[in-house]
Amino acid sequence: MAERPVFIPVSGSQELVKEIFFSLTWNPGFAPVQKKKNVTALHEAAAQSGWTSLLEISSKSEEKLGQHLSAFHPKVRADNLGEIKLECAFQGSKVFEKGGPYTDLYLVDPKDAKRDPRLQESGRLTGFKFNNFSFALEPKTIFYDWLYINAIYPHRLYKYAGFTDIEFNPTKSINCQARSCALFVSLMKNDLLHQAAKSPQVFTNLISRYDYHPQLRNSDPQSAFL
């Protein structure tokens, strides 16, 4: 058995995003067919509790939109470089005790950016710096959320009640494209999306007024930012 979350946008609440965990019989293996079975199992478990109209946000999604919104596809605008892949922006903007940000990662393949050895060899993560704005480590997902919301800003996702990402393991990381998608819809439903997307400072100030504090499900806070 395994537990995986469904991320629900919340209107008129301090939560912004509700995380509901469901148990499912896990189909092991890396084959796409196995992962799609897990998506189906998670959505069926959620449906039994009344949560339907869910969108899987990953390459294993049955819907083209879910595949398109996977973090290796959306792009963000970087100063002097134009549009770059979201994952490259996230990894290349990390600031460590002994180095960073490694902005050369902005222009490599997203998978290579994520595997760059400097990200493991530069000491503890201290924050993020992107387009000359420094992001703190709290709330833990604030920088990733900012990137993702700006990357998918043209989309409107009213038809979905919640979002999942079968690739996301809540005991190993905290940044999750499905959570960011739910936050996007929550801001949209609360008529805050346009304001939130104005600037990093406006976004961080806005989020700080809400009870939005995603937490890792283990004892190693640094692993949250992989």
Side-chain angles (χ1 to χ4, degrees), residues 15-222:
E15 283 184 286
L16 293 177
V17 176
K18 185 184 294 291
E19 300 182 21
I20 305 177
F21 282 80
F22 295 95
S23 297
L24 63 146
T25 300
W26 192 257
N27 295 277
F30 296 100
V33 65
Q34 295 295 90
K35 294 187 177 183
K36 289 183 178 182
K37 287 180 182 178
N38 291 329
V39 173
T40 299
L42 176 56
H43 287 200
E44 288 178 348
Q48 291 176 8
S49 295
W51 295 105
T52 57
S53 299
L54 304 180
L55 178 65
E56 167 70 12
I57 308 290
S58 75
S59 61
K60 308 308 180 294
S61 180
E62 293 291 345
E63 298 191 44
K64 289 290 186 182
L65 178 60
Q67 298 172 20
H68 179 69
L69 294 178
S70 178
F72 280 4
H73 296 285
K75 295 181 178 181
V76 295
R77 182 165 294 278
D79 290 348
N80 303 319
L81 291 175
E83 291 190 334
I84 63 174
K85 291 290 182 67
L86 185 157
E87 185 68 25
C88 294
F90 178 69
Q91 300 297 343
S93 298
K94 291 179 175 179
V95 180
F96 300 90
E97 291 174 315
K98 301 176 183 178
Y102 300 116
T103 56
D104 56 296
L105 297 181
Y106 290 169
L107 299 178
V108 304
D109 182 83
K111 292 182 180 179
D112 291 335
K114 194 170 184 177
R115 292 191 294 254
D116 191 281
R118 291 172 295 178
L119 303 180
Q120 304 296 327
E121 299 169 354
S122 299
R124 295 183 66 80
L125 185 70
T126 60
F128 300 88
K129 188 173 183 179
F130 181 69
N131 287 346
N132 291 316
F133 186 86
S134 294
F135 291 81
L137 296 182
E138 292 290 343
K140 289 183 173 62
T141 63
I142 191 71
F143 178 54
Y144 189 89
D145 289 334
W146 163 254
L147 291 176
Y148 196 89
I149 284 169
N150 278 270
I152 70 168
Y153 185 80
H155 293 278
R156 293 298 179 264
L157 306 169
Y158 284 111
K159 64 181 286 189
Y160 299 102
F163 304 90
T164 61
D165 175 6
I166 207 63
E167 303 281 6
F168 173 66
N169 185 334
T171 67
K172 294 184 177 179
S173 61
I174 196 168
N175 292 292
C176 178
Q177 53 206 9
R179 182 195 289 107
S180 297
C181 219
L183 177 61
F184 176 90
V185 173
S186 181
L187 293 171
M188 186 168 58
K189 288 183 174 181
N190 286 289
D191 295 321
L192 295 170
L193 183 60
H194 179 68
Q195 179 185 353
K198 282 184 177 179
S199 73
Q201 187 65 66
V202 171
F203 179 70
T204 54
N205 289 344
L206 188 156
I207 295 298
S208 70
R209 302 203 300 265
Y210 289 84
D211 186 20
Y212 181 73
H213 300 285
Q215 297 296 320
L216 187 67
R217 280 198 148 198
N218 69 16
S219 59
D220 181 9
Q222 284 288 303

